[in-house]
Amino acid sequence: MGVNRSTPGTPDGGPAFVTTRLDAVVNWARKYSLFQYPFVTACCGMEYMSVNGAHYDQSRFGAEIPRFTPRQADVLWVVGTVNHKIAPVLKRVYEQMAEPKWVIAFGACASSGGFYQNYAAVPGIDRIIPVDVYIAGCPPRPEAILDGLLELQRLVQEEGPRGIKGINPRQMAGD
Amino acid sequence: MSEENKPAQEQAGEQQAAAPQKPEPPLTRLLRNNFGEVVLDHHDQHGDETVVITRERMLDVFSFLRDDHRCSFSLMMDLTAVDLMPRQPRFELVVHLKSIDLHHRLRVKVPVSEDSPEVDSIRDLWIAADWYERECHEMYGIKFKGHPDLRPLLLYEGFQGHPLRKDYEKGRQQPLVPLRPVTERYNYGETFHPVPEQPAPGGENK
């Protein structure tokens, strides 16, 4: 986005018009209306609730509205341990989301399996579905979660949709 | 009195004085009086008793514990097993009972051999045991004779082996969804960084 100051503006010297590209505007709109699908399976859910509540107030970033159907969601929040029994459900939820879509791995278990390196737990949900942002912590502090959300907003603004089926556009271009 | 007998008598007397026979706690005594040799071992701590009984007559013992007015164990609190490998018999079924009327508790252990890991189901005495026995069955591979439905409870159909047995390989996983290879992760604003090759969980490509 750029502000054009070369032409005469308003009487007080402010900008007369703004030039931009369509995708920059669309991405700007996207990043402030990230409807979420919370896939909450474990204790990280408590921190998630805290962030979504009034105190930390996720709605400041336009990302508070949960959609309990994946078809209306933009961001999949995977909050908590995912085990092999529920992995098919997670994969199906992800596949039902419409493009563009993003995934946040919330906490140590979702990111890597955490300390559950055993017969039950998936060693990181990126072994099942592509992940955009990993938030560390067991559980993460609300500040870390908001940081992860801002990271996702930056990603949405700068890179836009992540290509088909979560393949990174840069990766496709061979960068 | 000969020289040979005298020390022996004294010895016996000393032993009695040094370690007076501790009276059996009440529930153990009750079970011993009614079932005799069925009680293999016992101990008690802070008034909570533990008895070890034989597998063959466990149903009789459990029925007695539930129905006798001196026991009146109306609540089955917990049922699980322990893998004591390499000790023989390898498994031990552990049942915790509580009497709500009489305010006492009892832990009953039943040794189970590795060759025939089968015990009688106590589900018909306490319906609460139903899911505990299903869990115990999938985790330890102990069969419960008389249980109507031993489907997996926490695990899924097709899971091979029993994960809480000591000889289940620690990292062995049996995914339902094939795991994607993850070769690199992307640091936004920076660059790709390679992900060290994950050790394939045992049984991943079963």
PDB file of all heavy atoms in Angstrom, chain B residues 67-93:
ATOM      1  N   ASP B  67     -21.145 -59.787  49.303  1.00  0.00           N
ATOM      2  CA  ASP B  67     -22.439 -60.105  49.907  1.00  0.00           C
ATOM      3  C   ASP B  67     -22.385 -60.307  51.412  1.00  0.00           C
ATOM      4  O   ASP B  67     -23.389 -60.117  52.081  1.00  0.00           O
ATOM      5  CB  ASP B  67     -23.009 -61.370  49.248  1.00  0.00           C
ATOM      6  CG  ASP B  67     -23.256 -61.141  47.759  1.00  0.00           C
ATOM      7  OD1 ASP B  67     -23.539 -59.981  47.402  1.00  0.00           O
ATOM      8  OD2 ASP B  67     -23.156 -62.093  46.984  1.00  0.00           O
ATOM      9  N   ASP B  68     -21.251 -60.723  51.961  1.00  0.00           N
ATOM     10  CA  ASP B  68     -21.202 -60.985  53.398  1.00  0.00           C
ATOM     11  C   ASP B  68     -21.366 -59.675  54.163  1.00  0.00           C
ATOM     12  O   ASP B  68     -20.791 -58.643  53.794  1.00  0.00           O
ATOM     13  CB  ASP B  68     -19.875 -61.653  53.756  1.00  0.00           C
ATOM     14  CG  ASP B  68     -19.897 -62.157  55.183  1.00  0.00           C
ATOM     15  OD1 ASP B  68     -20.325 -63.300  55.384  1.00  0.00           O
ATOM     16  OD2 ASP B  68     -19.492 -61.379  56.083  1.00  0.00           O
ATOM     17  N   HIS B  69     -22.141 -59.730  55.254  1.00  0.00           N
ATOM     18  CA  HIS B  69     -22.443 -58.480  55.964  1.00  0.00           C
ATOM     19  C   HIS B  69     -21.229 -57.930  56.706  1.00  0.00           C
ATOM     20  O   HIS B  69     -21.195 -56.765  57.057  1.00  0.00           O
ATOM     21  CB  HIS B  69     -23.603 -58.694  56.944  1.00  0.00           C
ATOM     22  CG  HIS B  69     -23.227 -59.548  58.125  1.00  0.00           C
ATOM     23  ND1 HIS B  69     -23.193 -60.922  58.041  1.00  0.00           N
ATOM     24  CD2 HIS B  69     -22.857 -59.215  59.379  1.00  0.00           C
ATOM     25  CE1 HIS B  69     -22.822 -61.401  59.222  1.00  0.00           C
ATOM     26  NE2 HIS B  69     -22.611 -60.394  60.055  1.00  0.00           N
ATOM     27  N   ARG B  70     -20.197 -58.774  56.935  1.00  0.00           N
ATOM     28  CA  ARG B  70     -18.984 -58.265  57.589  1.00  0.00           C
ATOM     29  C   ARG B  70     -18.043 -57.601  56.589  1.00  0.00           C
ATOM     30  O   ARG B  70     -17.107 -56.914  56.970  1.00  0.00           O
ATOM     31  CB  ARG B  70     -18.276 -59.415  58.314  1.00  0.00           C
ATOM     32  CG  ARG B  70     -19.023 -59.922  59.518  1.00  0.00           C
ATOM     33  CD  ARG B  70     -18.578 -61.332  59.870  1.00  0.00           C
ATOM     34  NE  ARG B  70     -18.961 -62.280  58.813  1.00  0.00           N
ATOM     35  CZ  ARG B  70     -18.752 -63.587  58.890  1.00  0.00           C
ATOM     36  NH1 ARG B  70     -18.124 -64.103  59.931  1.00  0.00           N
ATOM     37  NH2 ARG B  70     -19.137 -64.388  57.910  1.00  0.00           N
ATOM     38  N   CYS B  71     -18.269 -57.870  55.322  1.00  0.00           N
ATOM     39  CA  CYS B  71     -17.437 -57.250  54.276  1.00  0.00           C
ATOM     40  C   CYS B  71     -18.211 -56.114  53.605  1.00  0.00           C
ATOM     41  O   CYS B  71     -17.782 -54.969  53.624  1.00  0.00           O
ATOM     42  CB  CYS B  71     -17.047 -58.282  53.235  1.00  0.00           C
ATOM     43  SG  CYS B  71     -16.170 -59.689  53.914  1.00  0.00           S
ATOM     44  N   SER B  72     -19.325 -56.477  53.004  1.00  0.00           N
ATOM     45  CA  SER B  72     -20.237 -55.486  52.437  1.00  0.00           C
ATOM     46  C   SER B  72     -19.530 -54.505  51.496  1.00  0.00           C
ATOM     47  O   SER B  72     -19.704 -53.291  51.571  1.00  0.00           O
ATOM     48  CB  SER B  72     -20.915 -54.730  53.582  1.00  0.00           C
ATOM     49  OG  SER B  72     -21.814 -53.782  53.081  1.00  0.00           O
ATOM     50  N   PHE B  73     -18.715 -55.064  50.601  1.00  0.00           N
ATOM     51  CA  PHE B  73     -17.995 -54.188  49.657  1.00  0.00           C
ATOM     52  C   PHE B  73     -18.932 -53.845  48.503  1.00  0.00           C
ATOM     53  O   PHE B  73     -19.040 -54.568  47.523  1.00  0.00           O
ATOM     54  CB  PHE B  73     -16.714 -54.863  49.162  1.00  0.00           C
ATOM     55  CG  PHE B  73     -15.636 -54.867  50.192  1.00  0.00           C
ATOM     56  CD1 PHE B  73     -15.265 -56.033  50.840  1.00  0.00           C
ATOM     57  CD2 PHE B  73     -14.997 -53.686  50.535  1.00  0.00           C
ATOM     58  CE1 PHE B  73     -14.265 -56.028  51.802  1.00  0.00           C
ATOM     59  CE2 PHE B  73     -13.996 -53.675  51.500  1.00  0.00           C
ATOM     60  CZ  PHE B  73     -13.640 -54.845  52.138  1.00  0.00           C
ATOM     61  N   SER B  74     -19.587 -52.724  48.626  1.00  0.00           N
ATOM     62  CA  SER B  74     -20.580 -52.362  47.620  1.00  0.00           C
ATOM     63  C   SER B  74     -19.955 -51.612  46.448  1.00  0.00           C
ATOM     64  O   SER B  74     -20.579 -51.468  45.406  1.00  0.00           O
ATOM     65  CB  SER B  74     -21.664 -51.493  48.260  1.00  0.00           C
ATOM     66  OG  SER B  74     -21.059 -50.443  48.989  1.00  0.00           O
ATOM     67  N   LEU B  75     -18.720 -51.142  46.618  1.00  0.00           N
ATOM     68  CA  LEU B  75     -18.132 -50.280  45.588  1.00  0.00           C
ATOM     69  C   LEU B  75     -16.816 -50.867  45.096  1.00  0.00           C
ATOM     70  O   LEU B  75     -15.909 -51.116  45.900  1.00  0.00           O
ATOM     71  CB  LEU B  75     -17.905 -48.874  46.169  1.00  0.00           C
ATOM     72  CG  LEU B  75     -17.283 -47.839  45.234  1.00  0.00           C
ATOM     73  CD1 LEU B  75     -18.224 -47.510  44.109  1.00  0.00           C
ATOM     74  CD2 LEU B  75     -16.934 -46.575  46.004  1.00  0.00           C
ATOM     75  N   MET B  76     -16.726 -51.094  43.773  1.00  0.00           N
ATOM     76  CA  MET B  76     -15.448 -51.472  43.203  1.00  0.00           C
ATOM     77  C   MET B  76     -14.767 -50.204  42.704  1.00  0.00           C
ATOM     78  O   MET B  76     -15.239 -49.557  41.788  1.00  0.00           O
ATOM     79  CB  MET B  76     -15.649 -52.448  42.038  1.00  0.00           C
ATOM     80  CG  MET B  76     -14.369 -53.155  41.675  1.00  0.00           C
ATOM     81  SD  MET B  76     -13.952 -53.182  39.933  1.00  0.00           S
ATOM     82  CE  MET B  76     -13.922 -51.492  39.494  1.00  0.00           C
ATOM     83  N   MET B  77     -13.683 -49.832  43.364  1.00  0.00           N
ATOM     84  CA  MET B  77     -13.083 -48.533  43.059  1.00  0.00           C
ATOM     85  C   MET B  77     -12.156 -48.586  41.863  1.00  0.00           C
ATOM     86  O   MET B  77     -12.076 -47.650  41.091  1.00  0.00           O
ATOM     87  CB  MET B  77     -12.298 -48.020  44.264  1.00  0.00           C
ATOM     88  CG  MET B  77     -13.175 -47.663  45.434  1.00  0.00           C
ATOM     89  SD  MET B  77     -12.290 -46.650  46.615  1.00  0.00           S
ATOM     90  CE  MET B  77     -11.012 -47.758  47.146  1.00  0.00           C
ATOM     91  N   ASP B  78     -11.414 -49.667  41.741  1.00  0.00           N
ATOM     92  CA  ASP B  78     -10.406 -49.698  40.687  1.00  0.00           C
ATOM     93  C   ASP B  78     -10.082 -51.144  40.346  1.00  0.00           C
ATOM     94  O   ASP B  78     -10.111 -52.025  41.219  1.00  0.00           O
ATOM     95  CB  ASP B  78      -9.131 -48.970  41.154  1.00  0.00           C
ATOM     96  CG  ASP B  78      -8.166 -48.744  40.012  1.00  0.00           C
ATOM     97  OD1 ASP B  78      -8.613 -48.768  38.851  1.00  0.00           O
ATOM     98  OD2 ASP B  78      -6.972 -48.535  40.266  1.00  0.00           O
ATOM     99  N   LEU B  79      -9.806 -51.353  39.074  1.00  0.00           N
ATOM    100  CA  LEU B  79      -9.328 -52.663  38.638  1.00  0.00           C
ATOM    101  C   LEU B  79      -8.240 -52.414  37.620  1.00  0.00           C
ATOM    102  O   LEU B  79      -8.444 -51.684  36.652  1.00  0.00           O
ATOM    103  CB  LEU B  79     -10.478 -53.465  38.013  1.00  0.00           C
ATOM    104  CG  LEU B  79     -10.177 -54.897  37.555  1.00  0.00           C
ATOM    105  CD1 LEU B  79     -11.431 -55.732  37.648  1.00  0.00           C
ATOM    106  CD2 LEU B  79      -9.613 -54.979  36.151  1.00  0.00           C
ATOM    107  N   THR B  80      -7.092 -52.986  37.868  1.00  0.00           N
ATOM    108  CA  THR B  80      -6.010 -52.823  36.897  1.00  0.00           C
ATOM    109  C   THR B  80      -5.081 -54.024  37.009  1.00  0.00           C
ATOM    110  O   THR B  80      -5.398 -54.991  37.693  1.00  0.00           O
ATOM    111  CB  THR B  80      -5.244 -51.498  37.135  1.00  0.00           C
ATOM    112  OG1 THR B  80      -4.296 -51.314  36.098  1.00  0.00           O
ATOM    113  CG2 THR B  80      -4.536 -51.498  38.467  1.00  0.00           C
ATOM    114  N   ALA B  81      -3.961 -53.975  36.319  1.00  0.00           N
ATOM    115  CA  ALA B  81      -3.016 -55.078  36.379  1.00  0.00           C
ATOM    116  C   ALA B  81      -1.613 -54.502  36.436  1.00  0.00           C
ATOM    117  O   ALA B  81      -1.398 -53.330  36.149  1.00  0.00           O
ATOM    118  CB  ALA B  81      -3.155 -55.991  35.158  1.00  0.00           C
ATOM    119  N   VAL B  82      -0.686 -55.339  36.837  1.00  0.00           N
ATOM    120  CA  VAL B  82       0.719 -54.955  36.874  1.00  0.00           C
ATOM    121  C   VAL B  82       1.507 -56.020  36.133  1.00  0.00           C
ATOM    122  O   VAL B  82       1.266 -57.204  36.305  1.00  0.00           O
ATOM    123  CB  VAL B  82       1.231 -54.841  38.337  1.00  0.00           C
ATOM    124  CG1 VAL B  82       2.639 -54.301  38.354  1.00  0.00           C
ATOM    125  CG2 VAL B  82       0.317 -53.987  39.168  1.00  0.00           C
ATOM    126  N   ASP B  83       2.429 -55.564  35.298  1.00  0.00           N
ATOM    127  CA  ASP B  83       3.335 -56.485  34.618  1.00  0.00           C
ATOM    128  C   ASP B  83       4.617 -56.537  35.431  1.00  0.00           C
ATOM    129  O   ASP B  83       5.333 -55.544  35.525  1.00  0.00           O
ATOM    130  CB  ASP B  83       3.602 -55.986  33.192  1.00  0.00           C
ATOM    131  CG  ASP B  83       4.444 -56.974  32.404  1.00  0.00           C
ATOM    132  OD1 ASP B  83       4.921 -57.955  33.009  1.00  0.00           O
ATOM    133  OD2 ASP B  83       4.608 -56.764  31.196  1.00  0.00           O
ATOM    134  N   LEU B  84       4.889 -57.688  36.020  1.00  0.00           N
ATOM    135  CA  LEU B  84       6.036 -57.808  36.926  1.00  0.00           C
ATOM    136  C   LEU B  84       7.216 -58.485  36.262  1.00  0.00           C
ATOM    137  O   LEU B  84       8.112 -58.970  36.942  1.00  0.00           O
ATOM    138  CB  LEU B  84       5.620 -58.593  38.170  1.00  0.00           C
ATOM    139  CG  LEU B  84       4.521 -57.935  38.994  1.00  0.00           C
ATOM    140  CD1 LEU B  84       3.888 -58.941  39.927  1.00  0.00           C
ATOM    141  CD2 LEU B  84       5.072 -56.776  39.787  1.00  0.00           C
ATOM    142  N   MET B  85       7.212 -58.521  34.918  1.00  0.00           N
ATOM    143  CA  MET B  85       8.294 -59.184  34.202  1.00  0.00           C
ATOM    144  C   MET B  85       9.662 -58.774  34.767  1.00  0.00           C
ATOM    145  O   MET B  85       9.867 -57.581  34.995  1.00  0.00           O
ATOM    146  CB  MET B  85       8.219 -58.797  32.727  1.00  0.00           C
ATOM    147  CG  MET B  85       9.115 -59.589  31.825  1.00  0.00           C
ATOM    148  SD  MET B  85       8.817 -59.180  30.096  1.00  0.00           S
ATOM    149  CE  MET B  85       9.826 -57.720  29.936  1.00  0.00           C
ATOM    150  N   PRO B  86      10.594 -59.667  35.020  1.00  0.00           N
ATOM    151  CA  PRO B  86      10.578 -61.100  34.675  1.00  0.00           C
ATOM    152  C   PRO B  86      10.048 -62.013  35.774  1.00  0.00           C
ATOM    153  O   PRO B  86      10.228 -63.221  35.695  1.00  0.00           O
ATOM    154  CB  PRO B  86      12.066 -61.367  34.443  1.00  0.00           C
ATOM    155  CG  PRO B  86      12.744 -60.454  35.406  1.00  0.00           C
ATOM    156  CD  PRO B  86      11.888 -59.241  35.529  1.00  0.00           C
ATOM    157  N   ARG B  87       9.421 -61.477  36.776  1.00  0.00           N
ATOM    158  CA  ARG B  87       8.932 -62.337  37.860  1.00  0.00           C
ATOM    159  C   ARG B  87       7.850 -63.278  37.339  1.00  0.00           C
ATOM    160  O   ARG B  87       7.116 -62.947  36.421  1.00  0.00           O
ATOM    161  CB  ARG B  87       8.374 -61.456  38.988  1.00  0.00           C
ATOM    162  CG  ARG B  87       8.640 -61.996  40.368  1.00  0.00           C
ATOM    163  CD  ARG B  87       8.025 -61.086  41.413  1.00  0.00           C
ATOM    164  NE  ARG B  87       6.589 -61.357  41.545  1.00  0.00           N
ATOM    165  CZ  ARG B  87       5.824 -60.733  42.424  1.00  0.00           C
ATOM    166  NH1 ARG B  87       6.326 -59.821  43.220  1.00  0.00           N
ATOM    167  NH2 ARG B  87       4.535 -61.024  42.506  1.00  0.00           N
ATOM    168  N   GLN B  88       7.774 -64.432  37.948  1.00  0.00           N
ATOM    169  CA  GLN B  88       6.708 -65.378  37.614  1.00  0.00           C
ATOM    170  C   GLN B  88       5.871 -65.633  38.857  1.00  0.00           C
ATOM    171  O   GLN B  88       6.413 -65.786  39.931  1.00  0.00           O
ATOM    172  CB  GLN B  88       7.287 -66.708  37.113  1.00  0.00           C
ATOM    173  CG  GLN B  88       8.025 -66.608  35.793  1.00  0.00           C
ATOM    174  CD  GLN B  88       7.105 -66.313  34.622  1.00  0.00           C
ATOM    175  OE1 GLN B  88       5.881 -66.491  34.749  1.00  0.00           O
ATOM    176  NE2 GLN B  88       7.657 -65.833  33.526  1.00  0.00           N
ATOM    177  N   PRO B  89       4.550 -65.680  38.756  1.00  0.00           N
ATOM    178  CA  PRO B  89       3.733 -65.389  37.579  1.00  0.00           C
ATOM    179  C   PRO B  89       3.842 -63.913  37.183  1.00  0.00           C
ATOM    180  O   PRO B  89       3.942 -63.052  38.034  1.00  0.00           O
ATOM    181  CB  PRO B  89       2.320 -65.747  38.017  1.00  0.00           C
ATOM    182  CG  PRO B  89       2.359 -65.720  39.492  1.00  0.00           C
ATOM    183  CD  PRO B  89       3.728 -66.067  39.912  1.00  0.00           C
ATOM    184  N   ARG B  90       3.787 -63.704  35.873  1.00  0.00           N
ATOM    185  CA  ARG B  90       4.186 -62.406  35.345  1.00  0.00           C
ATOM    186  C   ARG B  90       3.218 -61.277  35.709  1.00  0.00           C
ATOM    187  O   ARG B  90       3.641 -60.173  36.016  1.00  0.00           O
ATOM    188  CB  ARG B  90       4.308 -62.515  33.834  1.00  0.00           C
ATOM    189  CG  ARG B  90       4.686 -61.211  33.207  1.00  0.00           C
ATOM    190  CD  ARG B  90       4.999 -61.384  31.741  1.00  0.00           C
ATOM    191  NE  ARG B  90       5.029 -60.090  31.078  1.00  0.00           N
ATOM    192  CZ  ARG B  90       5.190 -59.924  29.793  1.00  0.00           C
ATOM    193  NH1 ARG B  90       5.329 -60.967  29.019  1.00  0.00           N
ATOM    194  NH2 ARG B  90       5.199 -58.726  29.253  1.00  0.00           N
ATOM    195  N   PHE B  91       1.923 -61.548  35.643  1.00  0.00           N
ATOM    196  CA  PHE B  91       0.955 -60.464  35.855  1.00  0.00           C
ATOM    197  C   PHE B  91       0.291 -60.579  37.214  1.00  0.00           C
ATOM    198  O   PHE B  91       0.246 -61.628  37.833  1.00  0.00           O
ATOM    199  CB  PHE B  91      -0.127 -60.475  34.770  1.00  0.00           C
ATOM    200  CG  PHE B  91       0.418 -60.314  33.404  1.00  0.00           C
ATOM    201  CD1 PHE B  91       0.488 -61.399  32.548  1.00  0.00           C
ATOM    202  CD2 PHE B  91       0.871 -59.081  32.959  1.00  0.00           C
ATOM    203  CE1 PHE B  91       0.997 -61.258  31.278  1.00  0.00           C
ATOM    204  CE2 PHE B  91       1.377 -58.931  31.697  1.00  0.00           C
ATOM    205  CZ  PHE B  91       1.446 -60.029  30.853  1.00  0.00           C
ATOM    206  N   GLU B  92      -0.224 -59.459  37.651  1.00  0.00           N
ATOM    207  CA  GLU B  92      -0.983 -59.434  38.884  1.00  0.00           C
ATOM    208  C   GLU B  92      -2.193 -58.543  38.651  1.00  0.00           C
ATOM    209  O   GLU B  92      -2.044 -57.364  38.306  1.00  0.00           O
ATOM    210  CB  GLU B  92      -0.116 -58.872  40.014  1.00  0.00           C
ATOM    211  CG  GLU B  92      -0.521 -59.343  41.378  1.00  0.00           C
ATOM    212  CD  GLU B  92       0.570 -59.047  42.403  1.00  0.00           C
ATOM    213  OE1 GLU B  92       1.025 -57.899  42.431  1.00  0.00           O
ATOM    214  OE2 GLU B  92       0.945 -59.961  43.157  1.00  0.00           O
ATOM    215  N   LEU B  93      -3.359 -59.115  38.816  1.00  0.00           N
ATOM    216  CA  LEU B  93      -4.576 -58.320  38.739  1.00  0.00           C
ATOM    217  C   LEU B  93      -4.786 -57.648  40.092  1.00  0.00           C
ATOM    218  O   LEU B  93      -4.629 -58.298  41.123  1.00  0.00           O
ATOM    219  CB  LEU B  93      -5.761 -59.230  38.411  1.00  0.00           C
ATOM    220  CG  LEU B  93      -7.070 -58.539  38.073  1.00  0.00           C
ATOM    221  CD1 LEU B  93      -6.994 -57.972  36.675  1.00  0.00           C
ATOM    222  CD2 LEU B  93      -8.218 -59.513  38.188  1.00  0.00           C
TER     223      LEU B  93
END
